[in-house]
Amino acid sequence: MASIADDEKGHELDLFCVPKHYENDLERVIIPHGLIMDRTERLARDIVRDMGGHHIVALCVLKGGYKFFADLLDYITALNQNSDKSVPLTVDFIRVKSYCNDQSTNRVKVIGGDELSKLSGKNVLIVEDIVETGRTMETLLSLLSDCKPKMVKVVSLLVKRTPRSSGYRPDYIGFEVPDAFLVGYALDYNEYFRDLSHICILNDRAKEKYKV
Ligand code: IMP
Ligand code: MG
């Protein structure tokens, strides 16, 4: 797993292209888009190596997981079409909500998506954007186990280093990140910042500005 240290300064905003409407909202760029893509390519290779024997159902945890999901699946597809061995890959979507402003709430709600019962007997790869307390993933895994899938693996692009963690660790981790509120690459703050391609640290002014 790649680790981004707590004292990592990241990069100044004006070294990269950032949408004008967010220029005053961000502290630093912490993971540039290109680095996300390079790490994702390697995660795809590791996943295919471990799960590549059977049909994989990739389950996207919406909304935050959608960019990572799309890019990861592109890399898996590329591996599939360029090697002697290949596996069918199908997709499913689930929507969960646990956050208000920059705080994880205790209730994790599944608010839509495909029927989990269809995953019975399948090799399921859950694709998530970020694990913080671990509550969302633990809830989802317990719901899923009721449906008796054959195998379940979890890949999360980010895992936050935080005392609030339950100790849960995904099977595959893109980057371990400091305990700050991160946005971009589909990670949001009250629905904003999904339209930003780098992962950035939000500043305190923006937390006020976009508060609900
Ligand atoms: P957990 O249940 O505390 O592990 O939180 C997981 C969910 O909270 C993730 O799926 C995200 O949607 C959201 N989340 C946690 N930390 C952040 C963050 O830094 N930025 C944006 N969303 C976050
Ligand atoms: Mg999420």
Side-chain angles (χ1 to χ4, degrees), residues 15-211:
L15 295 174
F16 294 96
C17 295
V18 166
K20 208 140 198 83
H21 53 274
Y22 291 145
E23 263 176 9
N24 299 320
D25 303 329
L26 305 167
E27 202 71 51
R28 314 277 289 179
V29 173
I30 189 102
I31 315 178
H33 185 255
L35 181 56
I36 300 171
M37 298 302 281
D38 290 337
R39 180 72 187 122
T40 302
E41 181 176 22
R42 179 54 195 257
L43 287 170
R45 194 172 102 183
D46 294 347
I47 289 165
V48 168
R49 180 198 60 208
D50 299 345
M51 297 185 78
H54 319 268
H55 176 160
I56 300 173
V57 182
L59 179 65
C60 176
V61 184
L62 294 170
K63 297 178 183 175
Y66 90 91
K67 289 286 290 172
F68 178 48
F69 183 80
D71 289 330
L72 181 71
L73 263 61
D74 280 351
Y75 282 120
I76 294 179
T77 305
L79 289 171
N80 255 338
Q81 66 196 11
N82 288 304
S83 68
D84 298 332
K85 279 200 328 195
S86 74
V87 289
L89 185 67
T90 55
V91 299
D92 255 321
F93 297 88
I94 187 168
R95 180 136 184 237
V96 297
K97 196 166 170 52
S98 63
Y99 247 72
C100 187
N101 297 322
D102 63 347
Q103 295 298 313
S104 178
T105 63
N106 283 316
R107 287 157 292 115
V108 179
K109 278 194 300 189
V110 174
I111 52 174
D114 290 320
E115 274 303 320
L116 289 178
S117 59
K118 287 195 303 193
L119 302 174
S120 163
K122 302 277 172 50
N123 284 341
V124 182
L125 176 69
I126 301 178
V127 184
E128 172 67 304
D129 53 353
I130 181 165
V131 169
E132 185 181 4
T133 63
R135 234 178 266 126
T136 302
M137 205 37 70
E138 286 175 335
T139 306
L140 195 52
L141 284 170
S142 105
L143 286 173
L144 201 57
S145 72
D146 296 340
C147 308
K148 307 253 178 310
K150 184 162 165 226
M151 177 202 279
V152 181
K153 296 274 189 195
V154 177
V155 56
S156 183
L157 177 63
L158 308 175
V159 170
K160 220 179 257 189
R161 217 177 292 116
T162 167
R164 295 181 303 285
S165 164
S166 70
Y168 168 76
R169 302 284 289 181
D171 301 284
Y172 305 94
I173 299 171
F175 301 92
E176 197 180 85
V177 292
D179 194 2
F181 198 79
L182 304 177
V183 293
Y185 193 68
L187 280 90
D188 72 309
Y189 178 76
N190 295 331
E191 299 300 330
Y192 289 93
F193 304 100
R194 298 197 200 272
D195 57 334
L196 163 70
S197 57
H198 312 293
I199 294 179
C200 301
I201 299 183
L202 194 65
N203 67 30
D204 291 335
R205 208 158 5 116
K207 287 186 188 172
E208 266 317 303
K209 177 171 160 194
Y210 297 97
K211 208 178 199 104

